[in-house]
Amino acid sequence: MALKTLVKVGNIANLSDARYCAGMGVDLLGFTAIEGQPSYISLKLYQDIRGWVAGPAVVLELYGLKDGGSLPRLLEDYRPDYLEVGMEELDLIPDSLDQPLIVSIHSTEDLSRIQRRNKMIRYVIINEDRIDVIRKAELFDVILSLHSTSGLQLLDELPLKGVALNGSPELRPGYKDYGDLAEVLEKLEID
């Protein structure tokens, strides 16, 4: 399977989402590693999923990180390809870190705050309703955070690197409604 653009699916918390996304050709799978956050995935479950899924790069989602001192342990345990943070967590990431970053931003002020770290930042994620911020983010590869197929037309209108979607909870193991995720991925398939 091949998709028309780079696709990151975050909040992966079950094997069904991970396997479906890998099979559809998703480029980046995001896993929440901070306990207490929505879609948190234990190290054990993460390792089980990684044993079944090959292909996509791994993004460790660190929203809610309170202590930069726990970062080395998370890097060692999860061994991600990328780290994803919001503006609050970005200050906890040392400048010396070798890991490429994905940063979720919401305003033009956020853009000016991250410019000093632009060599560390591989992608920025911007919500589809913030076109004003997307237009000013020319220094960065922008991934558009989508919630449905309605924002897909922006791929043709704006300089975007890809789209970001989210996984969802399983009803029970093996029973999954992929809903909007499936609809967006099917529209992005190369014919």
Side-chain angles (χ1 to χ4, degrees):
M1 230 16 82
L3 301 173
K4 294 175 187 173
T5 190
L6 178 132
V7 176
K8 182 227 176 231
V9 177
N11 296 328
I12 300 290
N14 55 70
L15 179 59
S16 296
D17 274 352
R19 290 181 68 189
Y20 176 75
C21 290
M24 290 295 290
V26 166
D27 303 282
L28 306 166
L29 293 181
F31 298 90
T32 302
I34 304 301
E35 234 177 302
Q37 294 297 310
S39 300
Y40 164 72
I41 185 166
S42 70
L43 179 59
K44 170 74 171 107
L45 179 56
Y46 169 80
Q47 290 170 335
D48 289 346
I49 290 172
R50 290 295 295 155
W52 280 93
V53 176
V58 172
V59 179
L60 196 60
E61 298 169 337
L62 298 176
Y63 298 104
L65 181 70
K66 301 286 186 222
D67 175 13
S70 61
L71 190 57
R73 181 188 51 78
L74 290 169
L75 291 172
E76 179 66 27
D77 289 347
Y78 288 84
R79 300 188 181 276
D81 300 300
Y82 296 88
L83 298 178
E84 182 177 331
V85 296
M87 294 304 297
E88 299 78 29
E89 298 84 14
L90 183 60
D91 293 333
L92 298 173
I93 306 297
D95 288 339
S96 60
L97 189 69
D98 227 5
Q99 208 81 31
L101 298 177
I102 299 172
V103 180
S104 179
I105 63 171
H106 304 285
S107 68
T108 53
E109 291 79 27
D110 290 348
L111 274 174
S112 59
R113 276 185 63 199
I114 66 172
Q115 284 182 0
R116 73 171 182 84
R117 299 185 82 178
N118 67 346
K119 291 192 179 357
M120 295 177 70
I121 298 171
R122 180 65 186 100
Y123 303 109
V124 294
I125 296 177
I126 303 174
N127 201 305
E128 66 182 290
D129 63 354
R130 294 308 314 258
I131 294 174
D132 60 317
V133 180
I134 295 168
R135 292 184 194 280
K136 294 181 179 174
E138 64 270 346
L139 288 179
F140 301 98
D141 286 335
V142 175
I143 298 176
L144 183 69
S145 178
L146 289 177
H147 304 291
S148 68
T149 58
S150 63
L152 285 175
Q153 82 281 353
L154 295 173
L155 287 171
D156 296 326
E157 300 170 14
L158 296 169
L160 298 169
K161 185 67 176 180
V163 298
L165 306 164
N166 284 311
S168 60
E170 260 184 328
L171 302 172
R172 64 178 193 244
Y175 290 89
K176 181 83 172 128
D177 176 12
Y178 294 102
D180 289 337
L181 177 63
E183 189 176 351
V184 171
L185 291 176
E186 288 169 7
K187 288 196 181 289
L188 290 173
E189 280 184 279
I190 294 175
D191 299 328

